[in-house]
Amino acid sequence: MQPEQDLPGVVVTGVSGRMGQMLVKLIGASEKLRLVGAVEREGTPWIGRDLGEAMGGAANGVRVTDDPLEAFAKAQAVIDFTAPAATVEFAALAAQARAVHVIGTTGFEAGQLAKLTAASRHAVIVRAGNMSLGVNLLTRLTRKVAEALDADWDIEIVEAHHRMKVDAPSGTALMLGQAAAEGRGVALEGHRDSGRDGLTGARKRGDIGFAAIRGGDIVGEHDVIFAGEGERIILRHVATDRAIFARGALRAALWGQDQKPGEYDMMDVLGL
């Protein structure tokens, strides 16, 4: 076992959130990573407090800060499940610190993605709509099935999440839609249908449809439906514990330590 001081140091952003706290707990139990920083928004009640105490436990010596640059300077990795605008800011600072930036944030606009690409010229960025092994396998299967079937088979992606999720379709659903589009050899934006309401008319051949369900505490459910004449193929993933996403993020943080600057995803991390 490596001495703790030799382990890659990790900063968690959005540390007071559900995913942030999950990450802190898993890093605390890890024999391969150590927690060196915790970042929250300015004005958050946790700012200035010991993180362990803020989480209701024993002090752990990590003080919550609203200064990401100071925190990132002592880190080898930043794990970030926050919001697009914050993540773009963090990407520039993580690149400045040459820290691996693991991004689980979703809902980016094209201009924001371009800024992430710019940051990746100087440091490793691992970004994925979903960090779980199962979902990434589902993504690979979706592409393979789409390759085998023509546009006579309608593709629908149905996703369900908890009531607090703010973006739709989910990042995972879009990742699956992208895989289906690549399997068919088309651009997703030219075939995406996610705004049905009222008298929409018949379904357009070749479109990739999206439907979003929001309610309760659903962690994440995704179905990819290939509907043909007289038969359907349904690929499904159900998440019951968000720890699967946190574990994937830790795996990405470790994997990124040995990579050259650039943009990567969980397919790269998992070797799929």
Side-chain angles (χ1 to χ4, degrees):
M1 186 185 303
Q2 286 181 274
E4 184 176 0
Q5 65 270 20
D6 294 338
L7 300 178
V10 180
V11 171
V12 175
T13 63
V15 74
S16 70
R18 287 179 294 182
M19 184 57 69
Q21 294 187 55
M22 176 69 71
L23 287 163
V24 168
K25 291 175 183 176
L26 289 181
I27 295 169
S30 173
E31 296 181 350
K32 297 179 179 180
L33 297 167
R34 61 192 174 97
L35 186 70
V36 298
V39 174
E40 257 302 345
R41 297 187 307 273
E42 182 179 359
T44 302
W46 284 25
I47 298 299
R49 296 183 62 190
D50 180 276
L51 176 60
E53 293 177 345
M55 290 177 59
N60 64 7
V62 175
R63 189 113 356 227
V64 181
T65 181
D66 57 6
D67 184 349
L69 181 59
E70 177 188 7
F72 294 0
K74 54 190 175 185
Q76 285 72 56
V78 175
I79 302 181
D80 178 15
F81 286 75
T82 54
T87 292
V88 169
E89 177 185 346
F90 294 149
L93 299 177
Q96 185 176 331
R98 300 299 188 265
V100 174
H101 190 187
V102 179
I103 300 173
T105 307
T106 60
F108 293 101
E109 297 176 354
Q112 293 170 325
L113 290 174
K115 291 180 179 179
L116 296 183
T117 297
S120 74
R121 299 190 187 106
H122 306 286
V124 172
I125 289 181
V126 181
R127 183 178 68 85
N130 194 298
M131 298 280 177
S132 85
L133 171 60
V135 162
N136 282 276
L137 286 171
L138 175 63
T139 302
R140 175 55 59 89
L141 290 170
T142 296
R143 179 169 180 166
K144 294 296 289 184
V145 174
E147 286 175 354
L149 303 175
D150 63 23
D152 287 337
W153 290 75
D154 299 321
I155 302 176
E156 291 285 317
I157 298 169
V158 182
E159 54 101 344
H161 285 86
H162 54 88
R163 64 167 66 94
M164 301 303 292
K165 186 167 180 60
V166 298
D167 58 314
S170 69
T172 301
L174 292 172
M175 186 168 73
L176 293 167
Q178 183 64 39
E182 289 172 358
R184 281 194 168 166
V186 300
L188 177 60
E189 286 310 307
H191 295 270
R192 173 176 165 177
D193 184 1
S194 55
R196 297 183 190 130
D197 185 34
L199 296 174
T200 60
R203 190 186 199 282
K204 184 180 176 182
R205 185 178 187 272
D207 274 359
I208 298 173
F210 293 85
I213 297 167
R214 296 289 178 267
D217 61 354
I218 301 170
V219 174
E221 300 178 4
H222 294 85
D223 290 342
V224 183
I225 303 169
F226 296 86
E229 292 295 329
E231 58 183 330
R232 281 175 289 166
I233 299 168
I234 302 174
L235 306 178
R236 186 167 215 227
H237 180 270
V238 177
T240 57
D241 184 351
R242 59 179 36 87
I244 63 173
F245 313 127
R247 285 194 291 268
L250 267 59
R251 184 168 178 172
L254 277 169
W255 178 87
Q257 301 302 311
D258 299 321
Q259 309 307 316
K260 295 179 180 179
E263 286 187 280
Y264 302 91
D265 60 22
M266 285 302 290
M267 293 289 192
D268 297 310
V269 175
L270 298 169
L272 295 175

